[in-house]
PDB file of all heavy atoms in Angstrom:
ATOM      1  N   GLY B 253      -7.226  -6.818  10.156  1.00  0.00           N
ATOM      2  CA  GLY B 253      -8.246  -6.290   9.257  1.00  0.00           C
ATOM      3  C   GLY B 253      -9.411  -7.248   9.145  1.00  0.00           C
ATOM      4  O   GLY B 253      -9.588  -8.144   9.972  1.00  0.00           O
ATOM      5  N   GLY B 254     -10.222  -7.065   8.115  1.00  0.00           N
ATOM      6  CA  GLY B 254     -11.403  -7.898   7.929  1.00  0.00           C
ATOM      7  C   GLY B 254     -12.061  -7.475   6.635  1.00  0.00           C
ATOM      8  O   GLY B 254     -11.382  -7.286   5.637  1.00  0.00           O
ATOM      9  N   LYS B 255     -13.388  -7.275   6.669  1.00  0.00           N
ATOM     10  CA  LYS B 255     -14.073  -6.825   5.457  1.00  0.00           C
ATOM     11  C   LYS B 255     -14.372  -5.327   5.491  1.00  0.00           C
ATOM     12  O   LYS B 255     -14.876  -4.773   4.525  1.00  0.00           O
ATOM     13  CB  LYS B 255     -15.370  -7.596   5.273  1.00  0.00           C
ATOM     14  CG  LYS B 255     -15.165  -9.066   4.919  1.00  0.00           C
ATOM     15  CD  LYS B 255     -16.507  -9.737   4.715  1.00  0.00           C
ATOM     16  CE  LYS B 255     -16.322 -11.195   4.322  1.00  0.00           C
ATOM     17  NZ  LYS B 255     -17.633 -11.853   4.158  1.00  0.00           N
ATOM     18  N   GLY B 256     -14.096  -4.697   6.623  1.00  0.00           N
ATOM     19  CA  GLY B 256     -14.313  -3.263   6.728  1.00  0.00           C
ATOM     20  C   GLY B 256     -13.169  -2.510   6.075  1.00  0.00           C
ATOM     21  O   GLY B 256     -12.140  -3.090   5.709  1.00  0.00           O
ATOM     22  N   LEU B 257     -13.321  -1.178   5.953  1.00  0.00           N
ATOM     23  CA  LEU B 257     -12.318  -0.388   5.239  1.00  0.00           C
ATOM     24  C   LEU B 257     -11.204   0.110   6.147  1.00  0.00           C
ATOM     25  O   LEU B 257     -10.230   0.680   5.680  1.00  0.00           O
ATOM     26  CB  LEU B 257     -12.992   0.773   4.510  1.00  0.00           C
ATOM     27  CG  LEU B 257     -13.949   0.319   3.395  1.00  0.00           C
ATOM     28  CD1 LEU B 257     -14.703   1.496   2.808  1.00  0.00           C
ATOM     29  CD2 LEU B 257     -13.196  -0.421   2.299  1.00  0.00           C
ATOM     30  N   ASP B 258     -11.335  -0.066   7.445  1.00  0.00           N
ATOM     31  CA  ASP B 258     -10.183   0.120   8.321  1.00  0.00           C
ATOM     32  C   ASP B 258     -10.348  -0.782   9.539  1.00  0.00           C
ATOM     33  O   ASP B 258     -11.407  -1.370   9.745  1.00  0.00           O
ATOM     34  CB  ASP B 258      -9.930   1.589   8.696  1.00  0.00           C
ATOM     35  CG  ASP B 258     -11.133   2.256   9.341  1.00  0.00           C
ATOM     36  OD1 ASP B 258     -11.982   1.544   9.902  1.00  0.00           O
ATOM     37  OD2 ASP B 258     -11.206   3.494   9.286  1.00  0.00           O
ATOM     38  N   ALA B 259      -9.309  -0.923  10.315  1.00  0.00           N
ATOM     39  CA  ALA B 259      -9.313  -1.888  11.404  1.00  0.00           C
ATOM     40  C   ALA B 259      -8.923  -1.198  12.703  1.00  0.00           C
ATOM     41  O   ALA B 259      -8.339  -0.119  12.703  1.00  0.00           O
ATOM     42  CB  ALA B 259      -8.334  -3.021  11.103  1.00  0.00           C
ATOM     43  N   ALA B 260      -9.250  -1.848  13.804  1.00  0.00           N
ATOM     44  CA  ALA B 260      -8.874  -1.306  15.111  1.00  0.00           C
ATOM     45  C   ALA B 260      -7.375  -1.468  15.326  1.00  0.00           C
ATOM     46  O   ALA B 260      -6.759  -2.400  14.829  1.00  0.00           O
ATOM     47  CB  ALA B 260      -9.647  -2.035  16.207  1.00  0.00           C
ATOM     48  N   GLY B 261      -6.799  -0.554  16.077  1.00  0.00           N
ATOM     49  CA  GLY B 261      -5.384  -0.689  16.449  1.00  0.00           C
ATOM     50  C   GLY B 261      -4.451  -0.274  15.328  1.00  0.00           C
ATOM     51  O   GLY B 261      -4.845   0.369  14.354  1.00  0.00           O
ATOM     52  N   TYR B 262      -3.190  -0.635  15.475  1.00  0.00           N
ATOM     53  CA  TYR B 262      -2.191  -0.294  14.467  1.00  0.00           C
ATOM     54  C   TYR B 262      -2.469  -1.024  13.158  1.00  0.00           C
ATOM     55  O   TYR B 262      -3.029  -2.123  13.150  1.00  0.00           O
ATOM     56  CB  TYR B 262      -0.787  -0.677  14.954  1.00  0.00           C
ATOM     57  CG  TYR B 262      -0.296   0.092  16.163  1.00  0.00           C
ATOM     58  CD1 TYR B 262       0.528  -0.522  17.097  1.00  0.00           C
ATOM     59  CD2 TYR B 262      -0.648   1.421  16.352  1.00  0.00           C
ATOM     60  CE1 TYR B 262       1.003   0.179  18.202  1.00  0.00           C
ATOM     61  CE2 TYR B 262      -0.182   2.129  17.453  1.00  0.00           C
ATOM     62  CZ  TYR B 262       0.640   1.508  18.377  1.00  0.00           C
ATOM     63  OH  TYR B 262       1.099   2.202  19.457  1.00  0.00           O
ATOM     64  N   ASP B 263      -2.017  -0.433  12.067  1.00  0.00           N
ATOM     65  CA  ASP B 263      -2.196  -1.032  10.739  1.00  0.00           C
ATOM     66  C   ASP B 263      -1.107  -2.089  10.527  1.00  0.00           C
ATOM     67  O   ASP B 263      -0.175  -1.892   9.748  1.00  0.00           O
ATOM     68  CB  ASP B 263      -2.121   0.075   9.686  1.00  0.00           C
ATOM     69  CG  ASP B 263      -2.482  -0.427   8.293  1.00  0.00           C
ATOM     70  OD1 ASP B 263      -2.697  -1.642   8.124  1.00  0.00           O
ATOM     71  OD2 ASP B 263      -2.546   0.403   7.371  1.00  0.00           O
ATOM     72  N   LEU B 264      -1.252  -3.186  11.232  1.00  0.00           N
ATOM     73  CA  LEU B 264      -0.243  -4.240  11.108  1.00  0.00           C
ATOM     74  C   LEU B 264      -0.336  -4.932   9.752  1.00  0.00           C
ATOM     75  O   LEU B 264       0.660  -5.423   9.226  1.00  0.00           O
ATOM     76  CB  LEU B 264      -0.399  -5.256  12.250  1.00  0.00           C
ATOM     77  CG  LEU B 264      -0.227  -4.670  13.661  1.00  0.00           C
ATOM     78  CD1 LEU B 264      -0.460  -5.735  14.722  1.00  0.00           C
ATOM     79  CD2 LEU B 264       1.160  -4.055  13.834  1.00  0.00           C
ATOM     80  N   LEU B 265      -1.546  -4.939   9.169  1.00  0.00           N
ATOM     81  CA  LEU B 265      -1.686  -5.471   7.815  1.00  0.00           C
ATOM     82  C   LEU B 265      -0.774  -4.704   6.861  1.00  0.00           C
ATOM     83  O   LEU B 265      -0.126  -5.290   5.991  1.00  0.00           O
ATOM     84  CB  LEU B 265      -3.152  -5.348   7.364  1.00  0.00           C
ATOM     85  CG  LEU B 265      -3.469  -5.756   5.928  1.00  0.00           C
ATOM     86  CD1 LEU B 265      -3.162  -7.232   5.700  1.00  0.00           C
ATOM     87  CD2 LEU B 265      -4.928  -5.459   5.585  1.00  0.00           C
ATOM     88  N   GLY B 266      -0.708  -3.393   7.058  1.00  0.00           N
ATOM     89  CA  GLY B 266       0.111  -2.550   6.188  1.00  0.00           C
ATOM     90  C   GLY B 266       1.593  -2.875   6.288  1.00  0.00           C
ATOM     91  O   GLY B 266       2.319  -2.789   5.296  1.00  0.00           O
ATOM     92  N   VAL B 267       2.066  -3.252   7.460  1.00  0.00           N
ATOM     93  CA  VAL B 267       3.498  -3.525   7.589  1.00  0.00           C
ATOM     94  C   VAL B 267       3.821  -4.986   7.245  1.00  0.00           C
ATOM     95  O   VAL B 267       4.921  -5.300   6.805  1.00  0.00           O
ATOM     96  CB  VAL B 267       4.031  -3.098   8.980  1.00  0.00           C
ATOM     97  CG1 VAL B 267       3.678  -4.085  10.064  1.00  0.00           C
ATOM     98  CG2 VAL B 267       5.533  -2.864   8.934  1.00  0.00           C
ATOM     99  N   VAL B 268       2.838  -5.868   7.405  1.00  0.00           N
ATOM    100  CA  VAL B 268       3.052  -7.267   6.998  1.00  0.00           C
ATOM    101  C   VAL B 268       3.123  -7.346   5.465  1.00  0.00           C
ATOM    102  O   VAL B 268       3.927  -8.101   4.907  1.00  0.00           O
ATOM    103  CB  VAL B 268       1.925  -8.169   7.554  1.00  0.00           C
ATOM    104  CG1 VAL B 268       1.880  -9.505   6.834  1.00  0.00           C
ATOM    105  CG2 VAL B 268       2.123  -8.383   9.060  1.00  0.00           C
ATOM    106  N   THR B 269       2.291  -6.524   4.799  1.00  0.00           N
ATOM    107  CA  THR B 269       2.291  -6.532   3.337  1.00  0.00           C
ATOM    108  C   THR B 269       3.634  -5.974   2.840  1.00  0.00           C
ATOM    109  O   THR B 269       4.012  -4.869   3.206  1.00  0.00           O
ATOM    110  CB  THR B 269       1.140  -5.675   2.790  1.00  0.00           C
ATOM    111  OG1 THR B 269      -0.068  -6.105   3.403  1.00  0.00           O
ATOM    112  CG2 THR B 269       1.031  -5.810   1.278  1.00  0.00           C
ATOM    113  N   GLY B 270       4.325  -6.773   2.067  1.00  0.00           N
ATOM    114  CA  GLY B 270       5.637  -6.339   1.589  1.00  0.00           C
ATOM    115  C   GLY B 270       6.764  -6.637   2.558  1.00  0.00           C
ATOM    116  O   GLY B 270       7.887  -6.180   2.364  1.00  0.00           O
ATOM    117  N   SER B 271       6.500  -7.433   3.601  1.00  0.00           N
ATOM    118  CA  SER B 271       7.554  -7.734   4.580  1.00  0.00           C
ATOM    119  C   SER B 271       8.382  -8.944   4.149  1.00  0.00           C
ATOM    120  O   SER B 271       9.253  -9.395   4.886  1.00  0.00           O
ATOM    121  CB  SER B 271       6.959  -7.952   5.966  1.00  0.00           C
ATOM    122  OG  SER B 271       6.126  -9.092   5.972  1.00  0.00           O
ATOM    123  N   GLU B 272       8.110  -9.473   2.969  1.00  0.00           N
ATOM    124  CA  GLU B 272       8.948 -10.506   2.329  1.00  0.00           C
ATOM    125  C   GLU B 272       9.071 -11.773   3.182  1.00  0.00           C
ATOM    126  O   GLU B 272      10.131 -12.399   3.249  1.00  0.00           O
ATOM    127  CB  GLU B 272      10.318  -9.922   1.953  1.00  0.00           C
ATOM    128  CG  GLU B 272      10.175  -8.663   1.091  1.00  0.00           C
ATOM    129  CD  GLU B 272      11.443  -8.265   0.359  1.00  0.00           C
ATOM    130  OE1 GLU B 272      12.330  -9.118   0.204  1.00  0.00           O
ATOM    131  OE2 GLU B 272      11.529  -7.102  -0.080  1.00  0.00           O
ATOM    132  N   GLY B 273       7.978 -12.132   3.849  1.00  0.00           N
ATOM    133  CA  GLY B 273       7.961 -13.389   4.595  1.00  0.00           C
ATOM    134  C   GLY B 273       8.779 -13.356   5.867  1.00  0.00           C
ATOM    135  O   GLY B 273       9.111 -14.403   6.420  1.00  0.00           O
ATOM    136  N   LEU B 274       9.103 -12.174   6.373  1.00  0.00           N
ATOM    137  CA  LEU B 274       9.935 -12.078   7.581  1.00  0.00           C
ATOM    138  C   LEU B 274       9.131 -11.903   8.856  1.00  0.00           C
ATOM    139  O   LEU B 274       9.668 -12.010   9.948  1.00  0.00           O
ATOM    140  CB  LEU B 274      10.917 -10.897   7.463  1.00  0.00           C
ATOM    141  CG  LEU B 274      12.281 -11.222   6.845  1.00  0.00           C
ATOM    142  CD1 LEU B 274      12.140 -11.506   5.366  1.00  0.00           C
ATOM    143  CD2 LEU B 274      13.264 -10.089   7.083  1.00  0.00           C
ATOM    144  N   LEU B 275       7.831 -11.587   8.714  1.00  0.00           N
ATOM    145  CA  LEU B 275       7.064 -11.265   9.923  1.00  0.00           C
ATOM    146  C   LEU B 275       6.071 -12.351  10.313  1.00  0.00           C
ATOM    147  O   LEU B 275       5.799 -12.552  11.491  1.00  0.00           O
ATOM    148  CB  LEU B 275       6.328  -9.929   9.745  1.00  0.00           C
ATOM    149  CG  LEU B 275       7.219  -8.704   9.507  1.00  0.00           C
ATOM    150  CD1 LEU B 275       6.376  -7.438   9.439  1.00  0.00           C
ATOM    151  CD2 LEU B 275       8.284  -8.572  10.586  1.00  0.00           C
ATOM    152  N   GLY B 276       5.493 -13.022   9.349  1.00  0.00           N
ATOM    153  CA  GLY B 276       4.509 -14.054   9.655  1.00  0.00           C
ATOM    154  C   GLY B 276       4.207 -14.849   8.402  1.00  0.00           C
ATOM    155  O   GLY B 276       4.588 -14.440   7.299  1.00  0.00           O
ATOM    156  N   VAL B 277       3.511 -15.973   8.576  1.00  0.00           N
ATOM    157  CA  VAL B 277       3.108 -16.788   7.424  1.00  0.00           C
ATOM    158  C   VAL B 277       1.631 -16.519   7.167  1.00  0.00           C
ATOM    159  O   VAL B 277       0.790 -16.711   8.056  1.00  0.00           O
ATOM    160  CB  VAL B 277       3.354 -18.283   7.692  1.00  0.00           C
ATOM    161  CG1 VAL B 277       2.828 -19.119   6.528  1.00  0.00           C
ATOM    162  CG2 VAL B 277       4.845 -18.541   7.910  1.00  0.00           C
ATOM    163  N   VAL B 278       1.322 -16.055   5.972  1.00  0.00           N
ATOM    164  CA  VAL B 278      -0.055 -15.699   5.621  1.00  0.00           C
ATOM    165  C   VAL B 278      -0.856 -16.979   5.381  1.00  0.00           C
ATOM    166  O   VAL B 278      -0.447 -17.842   4.595  1.00  0.00           O
ATOM    167  CB  VAL B 278      -0.066 -14.819   4.355  1.00  0.00           C
ATOM    168  CG1 VAL B 278      -1.496 -14.517   3.918  1.00  0.00           C
ATOM    169  CG2 VAL B 278       0.707 -13.536   4.594  1.00  0.00           C
ATOM    170  N   THR B 279      -1.990 -17.121   6.076  1.00  0.00           N
ATOM    171  CA  THR B 279      -2.814 -18.320   5.897  1.00  0.00           C
ATOM    172  C   THR B 279      -4.186 -18.013   5.306  1.00  0.00           C
ATOM    173  O   THR B 279      -4.935 -18.925   4.975  1.00  0.00           O
ATOM    174  CB  THR B 279      -2.992 -19.064   7.236  1.00  0.00           C
ATOM    175  OG1 THR B 279      -3.377 -18.120   8.237  1.00  0.00           O
ATOM    176  CG2 THR B 279      -1.709 -19.752   7.646  1.00  0.00           C
ATOM    177  N   GLU B 280      -4.548 -16.731   5.207  1.00  0.00           N
ATOM    178  CA  GLU B 280      -5.823 -16.367   4.584  1.00  0.00           C
ATOM    179  C   GLU B 280      -5.740 -14.901   4.187  1.00  0.00           C
ATOM    180  O   GLU B 280      -5.119 -14.104   4.891  1.00  0.00           O
ATOM    181  CB  GLU B 280      -6.963 -16.569   5.590  1.00  0.00           C
ATOM    182  CG  GLU B 280      -8.348 -16.398   5.002  1.00  0.00           C
ATOM    183  CD  GLU B 280      -9.409 -16.387   6.110  1.00  0.00           C
ATOM    184  OE1 GLU B 280      -9.633 -17.452   6.718  1.00  0.00           O
ATOM    185  OE2 GLU B 280      -9.975 -15.313   6.363  1.00  0.00           O
ATOM    186  N   VAL B 281      -6.352 -14.562   3.059  1.00  0.00           N
ATOM    187  CA  VAL B 281      -6.282 -13.189   2.560  1.00  0.00           C
ATOM    188  C   VAL B 281      -7.666 -12.725   2.138  1.00  0.00           C
ATOM    189  O   VAL B 281      -8.392 -13.468   1.463  1.00  0.00           O
ATOM    190  CB  VAL B 281      -5.338 -13.091   1.329  1.00  0.00           C
ATOM    191  CG1 VAL B 281      -5.127 -11.629   0.938  1.00  0.00           C
ATOM    192  CG2 VAL B 281      -4.003 -13.755   1.602  1.00  0.00           C
ATOM    193  N   THR B 282      -8.051 -11.520   2.543  1.00  0.00           N
ATOM    194  CA  THR B 282      -9.291 -10.911   2.047  1.00  0.00           C
ATOM    195  C   THR B 282      -8.902  -9.783   1.101  1.00  0.00           C
ATOM    196  O   THR B 282      -8.246  -8.816   1.522  1.00  0.00           O
ATOM    197  CB  THR B 282     -10.141 -10.366   3.210  1.00  0.00           C
ATOM    198  OG1 THR B 282     -10.407 -11.432   4.116  1.00  0.00           O
ATOM    199  CG2 THR B 282     -11.465  -9.801   2.700  1.00  0.00           C
ATOM    200  N   VAL B 283      -9.250  -9.954  -0.174  1.00  0.00           N
ATOM    201  CA  VAL B 283      -8.869  -8.961  -1.185  1.00  0.00           C
ATOM    202  C   VAL B 283     -10.084  -8.162  -1.624  1.00  0.00           C
ATOM    203  O   VAL B 283     -11.208  -8.646  -1.594  1.00  0.00           O
ATOM    204  CB  VAL B 283      -8.226  -9.613  -2.436  1.00  0.00           C
ATOM    205  CG1 VAL B 283      -6.977 -10.378  -2.073  1.00  0.00           C
ATOM    206  CG2 VAL B 283      -9.223 -10.494  -3.178  1.00  0.00           C
ATOM    207  N   ARG B 284      -9.807  -6.929  -2.023  1.00  0.00           N
ATOM    208  CA  ARG B 284     -10.828  -6.063  -2.595  1.00  0.00           C
ATOM    209  C   ARG B 284     -11.100  -6.484  -4.033  1.00  0.00           C
ATOM    210  O   ARG B 284     -10.166  -6.757  -4.786  1.00  0.00           O
ATOM    211  CB  ARG B 284     -10.266  -4.646  -2.633  1.00  0.00           C
ATOM    212  CG  ARG B 284     -11.129  -3.557  -2.073  1.00  0.00           C
ATOM    213  CD  ARG B 284     -10.250  -2.378  -1.675  1.00  0.00           C
ATOM    214  NE  ARG B 284      -9.525  -1.809  -2.796  1.00  0.00           N
ATOM    215  CZ  ARG B 284      -9.918  -0.712  -3.470  1.00  0.00           C
ATOM    216  NH1 ARG B 284     -11.032  -0.093  -3.149  1.00  0.00           N
ATOM    217  NH2 ARG B 284      -9.196  -0.237  -4.444  1.00  0.00           N
ATOM    218  N   LEU B 285     -12.352  -6.530  -4.419  1.00  0.00           N
ATOM    219  CA  LEU B 285     -12.693  -6.774  -5.818  1.00  0.00           C
ATOM    220  C   LEU B 285     -13.169  -5.462  -6.432  1.00  0.00           C
ATOM    221  O   LEU B 285     -13.815  -4.664  -5.767  1.00  0.00           O
ATOM    222  CB  LEU B 285     -13.823  -7.804  -5.912  1.00  0.00           C
ATOM    223  CG  LEU B 285     -13.531  -9.189  -5.340  1.00  0.00           C
ATOM    224  CD1 LEU B 285     -14.786 -10.059  -5.429  1.00  0.00           C
ATOM    225  CD2 LEU B 285     -12.373  -9.861  -6.071  1.00  0.00           C
ATOM    226  N   LEU B 286     -12.846  -5.274  -7.709  1.00  0.00           N
ATOM    227  CA  LEU B 286     -13.323  -4.094  -8.429  1.00  0.00           C
ATOM    228  C   LEU B 286     -14.253  -4.537  -9.546  1.00  0.00           C
ATOM    229  O   LEU B 286     -14.156  -5.667 -10.033  1.00  0.00           O
ATOM    230  CB  LEU B 286     -12.145  -3.320  -9.042  1.00  0.00           C
ATOM    231  CG  LEU B 286     -11.085  -2.761  -8.087  1.00  0.00           C
ATOM    232  CD1 LEU B 286     -10.069  -1.938  -8.875  1.00  0.00           C
ATOM    233  CD2 LEU B 286     -11.712  -1.917  -6.998  1.00  0.00           C
ATOM    234  N   THR B 287     -15.147  -3.614  -9.944  1.00  0.00           N
ATOM    235  CA  THR B 287     -15.970  -3.916 -11.108  1.00  0.00           C
ATOM    236  C   THR B 287     -15.140  -3.687 -12.367  1.00  0.00           C
ATOM    237  O   THR B 287     -14.345  -2.753 -12.430  1.00  0.00           O
ATOM    238  CB  THR B 287     -17.215  -3.003 -11.158  1.00  0.00           C
ATOM    239  OG1 THR B 287     -16.792  -1.658 -11.009  1.00  0.00           O
ATOM    240  CG2 THR B 287     -18.169  -3.351 -10.031  1.00  0.00           C
ATOM    241  N   LYS B 288     -15.326  -4.588 -13.326  1.00  0.00           N
ATOM    242  CA  LYS B 288     -14.552  -4.478 -14.574  1.00  0.00           C
ATOM    243  C   LYS B 288     -14.966  -3.220 -15.321  1.00  0.00           C
ATOM    244  O   LYS B 288     -16.149  -2.935 -15.450  1.00  0.00           O
ATOM    245  CB  LYS B 288     -14.818  -5.695 -15.464  1.00  0.00           C
ATOM    246  CG  LYS B 288     -13.769  -6.766 -15.333  1.00  0.00           C
ATOM    247  CD  LYS B 288     -13.816  -7.758 -16.487  1.00  0.00           C
ATOM    248  CE  LYS B 288     -15.137  -8.503 -16.542  1.00  0.00           C
ATOM    249  NZ  LYS B 288     -15.105  -9.715 -17.357  1.00  0.00           N
ATOM    250  N   PRO B 289     -13.993  -2.457 -15.842  1.00  0.00           N
ATOM    251  CA  PRO B 289     -14.355  -1.286 -16.643  1.00  0.00           C
ATOM    252  C   PRO B 289     -15.187  -1.716 -17.858  1.00  0.00           C
ATOM    253  O   PRO B 289     -15.007  -2.826 -18.375  1.00  0.00           O
ATOM    254  CB  PRO B 289     -13.004  -0.725 -17.101  1.00  0.00           C
ATOM    255  CG  PRO B 289     -11.964  -1.408 -16.282  1.00  0.00           C
ATOM    256  CD  PRO B 289     -12.551  -2.683 -15.787  1.00  0.00           C
ATOM    257  N   GLN B 290     -16.064  -0.813 -18.314  1.00  0.00           N
ATOM    258  CA  GLN B 290     -16.927  -1.154 -19.448  1.00  0.00           C
ATOM    259  C   GLN B 290     -16.118  -1.391 -20.724  1.00  0.00           C
ATOM    260  O   GLN B 290     -16.434  -2.276 -21.492  1.00  0.00           O
ATOM    261  CB  GLN B 290     -17.942  -0.039 -19.678  1.00  0.00           C
ATOM    262  CG  GLN B 290     -19.006   0.006 -18.603  1.00  0.00           C
ATOM    263  CD  GLN B 290     -19.855   1.265 -18.727  1.00  0.00           C
ATOM    264  OE1 GLN B 290     -19.468   2.336 -18.285  1.00  0.00           O
ATOM    265  NE2 GLN B 290     -21.014   1.125 -19.346  1.00  0.00           N
TER     266      GLN B 290
END
Side-chain angles (χ1 to χ4, degrees):
Chain B
K255 291 182 178 179
L257 295 174
D258 56 24
Y262 295 147
D263 188 355
L264 299 177
L265 175 62
V267 78
V268 163
T269 308
S271 64
E272 306 197 19
L274 269 71
L275 299 184
V277 176
V278 176
T279 48
E280 188 189 290
V281 188
T282 303
V283 300
R284 230 157 61 99
L285 299 176
L286 299 185
T287 51
K288 263 197 298 197
Q290 288 170 279

